[in-house]
Amino acid sequence: MAPALQPQPEYITLKEYENLADDKRAEVFEGIIYDMASPSRIHQALVTDLITIFHTYIQKKNGNCEVFPAPFDVMLSKTPLTIVQPDIMIVCDKEKLDEQRCNGAPDFIIEIVSPSNPSDDYIKKAYYYKNYGVREYWIVDPERKTVTVNYFEKNKVSIQLSFESAVKVNIYDDLYINFTDICRRLGI
């Protein structure tokens, strides 16, 4: 008996991706497009608080890095096409930036876990971010009230901390994020 034919995935090109409707939220992993769900209120509130902290820090230090919230594309690879939209990213090499996207790995990424697909952040994205050269990757999980810190630049094993901790941003010498204050403000 011959094996059943398996459906073959449809691969998307960069041009096709760029022509998607403006309101379509999607990422591409090795040429295969994946739809993204709309974020929750807590998700967006966390993004807002964290973006504000990073932006204020960078401004005070007269830093050359820029912080971006989603949706802003990161093209990790042109072949096979891999485009992600991290919840928060910091880019220090402005040569990677054009009007449409960051071309190459950001220095720092935060993903806020969605209860509907936690393995995307903990497994799939961790794999891609590490292998494409992201220096530091945090997974913020509001349901479990944890932050998983992956400091790929120093090849450190991931460390999981509770929201009761002040979490060090390893790409900077003196930046700590106090999640207790953030949680109190957000009521989580």
Side-chain angles (χ1 to χ4, degrees), residues 9-80:
E10 289 191 34
Y11 293 95
I12 189 169
T13 66
L14 180 57
K15 182 128 181 103
E16 290 168 329
Y17 178 81
E18 290 173 340
N19 288 329
L20 292 173
D22 288 341
D23 62 346
K24 177 143 174 96
R25 296 196 66 228
E27 294 180 311
V28 180
F29 292 92
E30 297 184 17
I32 301 171
I33 192 164
Y34 295 86
D35 291 332
M36 298 172 66
S38 293
S40 69
R41 179 191 65 82
I42 292 295
H43 180 283
Q44 291 302 83
L46 280 166
V47 167
T48 300
D49 273 22
L50 291 166
I51 283 282
T52 302
I53 292 167
F54 287 116
H55 181 75
T56 302
Y57 175 84
I58 292 167
Q59 294 257 316
K60 280 184 181 175
K61 295 289 186 171
N62 294 316
N64 65 338
C65 302
E66 289 188 53
V67 61
F68 298 95
F72 189 68
D73 289 344
V74 173
M75 184 164 52
L76 294 173
S77 171
K78 207 170 199 173
T79 309

Side-chain angles (χ1 to χ4, degrees), residues 124-172:
K124 180 165 55 173
K125 288 186 177 181
Y127 169 82
Y128 283 94
Y129 292 161
K130 180 177 184 179
N131 288 315
Y132 281 102
V134 172
R135 294 168 60 197
E136 186 168 355
Y137 169 46
W138 287 14
I139 304 165
V140 176
D141 192 330
E143 193 169 287
R144 294 170 57 202
K145 296 187 178 176
T146 60
V147 179
T148 303
V149 176
N150 299 284
Y151 190 30
F152 298 137
E153 182 176 62
K154 298 292 183 185
N155 216 13
K156 289 187 178 179
V157 176
S158 66
I159 300 165
Q160 191 171 80
L161 303 164
S162 78
F163 273 10
E164 296 169 3
S165 305
V167 183
K168 173 143 183 15
V169 179
N170 292 290
I171 66 167
Y172 293 115

Side-chain angles (χ1 to χ4, degrees), residues 96-114:
K96 292 180 178 180
L97 298 171
D98 62 30
E99 291 304 311
Q100 295 178 298
R101 68 183 64 89
C102 175
N103 297 288
D107 295 87
F108 180 89
I109 288 178
I110 292 179
E111 294 286 4
I112 298 171
V113 175
S114 167

